[in-house]
Amino acid sequence: MKKQVIAAMLAIVVSAATLLGGCASGKGAEAKFPTKPITFIVPYPPGGSSDLTARALEKVAQKYLGHPLVIVNKPGGSTIPGLNEIVESKPDGYTVGTANNGLVQFPVTQELKYNFVTALEPIAQVASAPFVLVVRPDLPWKSIEDFAKYAKEHPGEIKYGTGARGSSTHWELQKLARDVGTRIEAVPMSGAGEIIPALLGGHIHAAVLAPADCKQHVQAGRLRALGVFSDKRIEYDPVFKDVPTFKEAGYNIVSVVWQGVGAPLGLSQDVKDVLVRAFKDMIIDPSTKEEMSKIGMQIDYLGPDDFKKKWVAEQEEYKRVLEETGILEQLKQEYKSEKK
């Protein structure tokens, strides 16, 4: 009898230890992450809106993660190599990266290894702002109408810098060209970090940029903002509040840049929960709002579920617009010609 009592007590002790151990391992895994800096891949050169957004988060990362973000710029190849690197990173939470319009658009216009909409894990949307058409101030165009009139009378003469064919900095002016009935020449570049020097140096005439990319140059008079691709003016920013929309000029062209954070698929739920909470705290931190305001963007937080829905919906809408306008077929022919 004595042996049976001892055996029963041992069983209770072992069960309790097992139960406690199990609980501790779940919370422990979460509590232990992160134990080192987290790499943040930006598939663009330094200085553009993607880079500046990452660096705004970097300033408060230590406060909410207990470790810093390490920003790594991976420009080139129309951002595809950088995005591929995020997808193919170990899903341990120590590598995240930029998630913006490009991940939605490029798989529509190019044959890629991944559709990033389904190959990446959304963490959070950070901010958004409408794209802006800017030109050199020494050129005679003072309005959208001036620009469109000149483009119509001089087919193929206007050259504009674009981050990549099919990107948000590309298709808006191709749509305008089709609406006007002319040609406007796109010059593919690695991003705003290359486009702006080319524009200021007189190598191209115009560019479609995020406010973050061009605000300081518009403010200083080095560039002139002609139009905003949105339903309404950027009233929250004194530099752009008087710039008219393309809709006001009679062109139904709307395009908004959004910046967010993505990670490789396969994160454990514990690690994902830590990242989602920490990035939300970083995004709504007052200092982040101030940093984003300086570059002409508004905080526009979305959690992972809503961010994923946005990716899916925008990819479908983007494909529809490019098909209906004929731009998708044009892009496919251009890519085919390049491969010959």
Side-chain angles (χ1 to χ4, degrees):
M1 181 65 182
K2 187 177 180 181
K3 287 183 179 178
Q4 290 176 335
V5 171
I6 292 173
M9 290 180 67
L10 283 173
I12 292 171
V13 169
V14 169
S15 298
T18 303
L19 181 61
L20 289 172
C23 292
S25 65
K27 291 185 178 178
E30 183 176 336
K32 288 176 184 173
F33 175 81
T35 60
K36 61 182 181 179
I38 292 176
T39 298
F40 194 116
I41 295 175
V42 178
Y44 297 89
S49 62
S50 299
D51 179 68
L52 295 173
T53 299
R55 293 185 190 281
L57 297 173
E58 178 193 23
K59 291 182 178 179
V60 292
Q62 182 81 42
K63 180 177 175 183
Y64 296 107
L65 281 168
H67 292 274
L69 291 179
V70 178
I71 310 300
V72 179
N73 295 90
K74 297 270 185 177
S78 299
T79 78
I80 305 305
L83 288 170
N84 283 348
E85 187 164 333
I86 302 171
V87 172
E88 293 168 357
S89 296
K90 188 177 179 182
D92 57 5
Y94 287 102
T95 302
V96 297
T98 297
N100 67 6
N101 306 60
L103 73 86
V104 165
Q105 296 169 342
F106 297 139
V108 174
T109 57
Q110 303 176 52
E111 292 183 7
L112 301 177
K113 188 175 180 181
Y114 302 108
N115 180 354
F116 303 112
V117 168
T118 54
L120 285 171
E121 182 82 48
I123 300 298
Q125 176 174 286
V126 179
S128 65
F131 280 101
V132 182
L133 172 63
V134 293
V135 300
R136 299 196 326 253
D138 61 308
L139 295 170
W141 315 315
K142 302 286 177 49
S143 66
I144 296 170
E145 290 82 357
D146 290 344
F147 184 86
K149 183 173 184 291
Y150 188 92
K152 185 174 180 61
E153 294 173 351
H154 302 82
E157 190 174 305
I158 296 178
K159 292 181 170 53
Y160 71 102
T162 173
R165 286 193 180 93
S167 69
S168 291
T169 60
H170 174 255
W171 73 267
E172 297 95 335
L173 288 190
Q174 293 304 308
K175 174 77 163 54
L176 178 68
R178 285 174 177 268
D179 290 351
V180 171
T182 188
R183 287 184 295 108
I184 302 176
E185 193 74 25
V187 182
M189 297 181 178
S190 62
E194 186 180 359
I195 293 171
I196 289 177
L199 191 53
L200 297 175
H203 303 293
I204 53 177
H205 304 99
V208 175
L209 296 169
D213 299 327
C214 60
K215 181 175 178 176
Q216 61 173 316
H217 300 291
V218 173
Q219 198 166 17
R222 293 188 291 270
L223 294 176
R224 178 184 297 138
L226 293 188
V228 177
F229 295 96
S230 64
D231 291 319
K232 58 183 181 181
R233 298 188 181 194
I234 308 177
E235 295 173 348
Y236 60 84
D237 191 307
V239 174
F240 296 105
K241 66 181 178 64
D242 295 324
V243 180
T245 69
F246 273 75
K247 277 197 168 181
E248 290 177 62
Y251 301 102
N252 185 23
I253 309 174
V254 174
S255 183
V256 174
V257 57
W258 41 266
Q259 296 290 350
V261 183
L265 287 179
L267 296 175
S268 71
Q269 192 60 49
D270 286 345
V271 168
K272 181 179 175 181
D273 288 346
V274 171
L275 288 175
V276 168
R277 279 201 303 270
F279 274 100
K280 181 178 182 181
D281 289 340
M282 284 187 255
I283 291 164
I284 64 176
D285 188 286
S287 68
T288 305
K289 182 178 180 181
E290 185 179 345
E291 290 295 321
M292 298 311 293
S293 177
K294 286 179 185 174
I295 59 175
M297 298 192 75
Q298 279 190 311
I299 295 296
D300 189 9
Y301 174 77
L302 289 178
D305 292 343
D306 289 336
F307 201 22
K308 181 61 177 281
K309 288 176 185 173
K310 178 170 185 167
W311 291 3
V312 173
E314 285 212 1
Q315 188 168 71
E316 290 174 356
E317 176 64 11
Y318 182 66
K319 185 178 181 183
R320 185 189 66 77
V321 170
L322 291 197
E323 284 178 340
E324 288 183 0
T325 57
I327 294 174
L328 185 58
E329 184 57 32
Q330 172 193 325
L331 291 171
K332 287 181 177 177
Q333 292 302 321
E334 288 176 2
Y335 284 122
K336 192 178 293 183
S337 299
E338 286 178 356
K339 290 180 180 177
K340 287 182 180 177

